[in-house]
């Protein structure tokens, strides 16, 4: 049985340190987030990242998103970040908002079949952020076997994932399976790939009514020509969802699950 370490007690610092050490060794861990529990690894360790979907029982065609510890990390991982995307970050991070952006081409990593994009989120959970501040970016997806509900307790995660995970970090029960809102930021106009914890009304407060309306359907941008980021299936498993298609907390993709 892989160890379960407790971040809800006076042992929090030691438990976080044990989790960080496992990530640095190239191992897979489970951590709490502000939505559900997530399974993840060092985003720059290709072998470890490949072990994450394998633990869930699926392939690299559905790459995990990347959780980051602070806003400054965005520009190290993404390029051509629109001003309106930065407004969303200023207002809604940390929190349940995932932004799909054009990835920096110089990155030495292999998160999966991303079509040149990266999905970024800064979780609003202090335990998760404690880990991320030490490890740096982590590829993290919902802690469950494909086809099963997302884990809201560390026991749920351990029952489903077992020895595929080296360390389970217990941050207490999660109170909601409502997924993060996902927005494609690779074009000139925001595209909501999944409606989630952040309501459209809140997005309109920041970006204005009709923010995702396309002025000229005939116009194409460089991003349109080089990526398929607007396909929600590509980022279907961000830690805030389950893998059950009929569950409203899942990804909008009709034949698969959804991101956290």
């Amino acid at each position: 049985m892989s160890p379960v370490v407790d971040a809800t007690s006076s042992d929090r610092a030691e438990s976080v340190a044990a989790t960080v050490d496992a990530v640095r060794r190239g191992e897979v861990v489970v951590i709490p987030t502000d939505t559900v529990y997530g399974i993840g690894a060092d985003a720059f360790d290709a072998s470890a990242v490949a072990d994450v979907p394998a633990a869930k029982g699926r392939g690299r065609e559905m790459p995990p998103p990347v959780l980051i510890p602070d806003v400054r990390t965005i520009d190290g991982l993404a390029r051509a970040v629109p001003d309106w995307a930065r407004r969303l970050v200023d207002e809604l991070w940390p929190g349940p908002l995932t932004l799909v952006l054009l990835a920096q081409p110089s990155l030495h990593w292999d998160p999966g079949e991303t079509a040149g994009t990266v999905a970024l989120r800064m979780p609003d959970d202090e335990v998760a952020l404690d880990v991320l501040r030490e490890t740096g970016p982590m590829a993290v997806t919902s802690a469950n076997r494909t086809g099963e509900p997302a884990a809201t307790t560390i026991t749920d995660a351990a029952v489903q994932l077992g020895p595929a995970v080296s360390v389970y970090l217990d941050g207490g029960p999660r109170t909601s399976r409502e997924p993060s809102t996902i927005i494609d930021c690779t074009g000139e106009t925001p595209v909501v790939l999944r409606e989630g914890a952040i309501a459209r009304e809140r997005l309109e407060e920041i970006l204005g009514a009709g923010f995702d309306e396309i002025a000229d359907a005939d116009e194409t941008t460089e991003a349109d020509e080089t990526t398929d980021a607007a396909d929600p299936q590509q980022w279907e498993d961000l830690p805030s969802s389950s893998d059950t298609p009929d569950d409203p907390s899942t990804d909008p993709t009709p034949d698969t699950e959804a991101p956290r």
Side-chain angles (χ1 to χ4, degrees):
M1 175 65 182
S2 300
V4 175
V5 294
D6 189 2
T8 66
S9 67
S10 58
D11 295 331
R12 172 170 164 171
E14 292 82 359
S15 297
V16 168
T19 306
V20 170
D21 287 345
V23 173
R24 288 174 174 167
R25 291 194 300 268
E27 298 170 359
V28 174
V29 301
V30 163
I31 62 173
T33 78
D34 50 348
T35 53
V36 296
Y37 275 85
I39 177 174
D42 181 350
F44 290 93
D45 186 326
S47 177
V49 171
D51 288 340
V52 172
K56 290 172 64 74
R58 65 168 189 231
R60 58 182 275 117
E61 70 279 358
M62 291 180 280
V66 175
L67 298 190
I68 60 177
D70 54 55
V71 173
R72 294 172 299 173
T73 309
I74 293 175
D75 291 308
L77 303 179
R79 63 182 177 88
V81 180
D83 289 341
W84 48 263
R86 296 188 189 277
R87 293 204 303 275
L88 290 171
V89 166
D90 289 343
E91 294 286 339
L92 300 173
W93 275 15
L97 174 69
T98 300
L99 301 181
V100 179
L101 297 157
L102 297 173
Q104 288 283 6
S106 59
L107 290 173
H108 296 290
W109 67 357
D110 183 15
E113 297 176 11
T114 66
T117 65
V118 60
L120 299 179
R121 185 162 90 83
M122 180 182 175
D124 190 12
D125 183 273
E126 277 305 312
V127 174
L129 291 174
D130 282 350
V131 173
L132 292 166
R133 290 181 188 117
E134 296 297 323
T135 63
M138 288 181 62
V140 181
T141 183
S142 58
N144 56 284
R145 293 285 297 178
T146 296
E148 298 297 327
T152 57
T153 69
I154 203 68
T155 301
D156 291 342
V159 166
Q160 294 191 55
L161 300 171
V165 171
S166 294
V167 174
Y168 290 87
L169 180 60
D170 188 358
R174 307 293 92 180
T175 59
S176 173
R177 284 199 180 119
E178 190 172 22
S180 66
T181 296
I182 307 174
I183 299 181
D184 176 9
C185 304
T186 62
E188 293 183 354
T189 304
V191 177
V192 178
L193 298 183
R194 181 180 67 193
E195 295 182 3
I198 299 172
R200 182 179 179 84
E201 290 74 18
R202 180 69 178 113
L203 298 176
E204 289 184 340
E205 288 177 6
I206 301 168
L207 300 177
F211 64 86
D212 52 355
E213 294 177 0
I214 300 175
D216 186 345
D218 293 331
E219 292 183 2
T220 59
T221 65
E222 178 184 354
D224 294 328
E225 295 169 353
T226 58
T227 76
D228 289 321
D231 178 3
Q233 180 176 347
Q234 182 181 1
W235 297 107
E236 53 99 25
D237 191 34
L238 300 163
S240 64
S241 67
S242 82
D243 287 293
T244 308
D246 292 334
D247 187 315
S249 70
T250 63
D251 203 87
T253 311
D255 58 345
T256 56
E257 58 180 296
R260 150 180 162 269

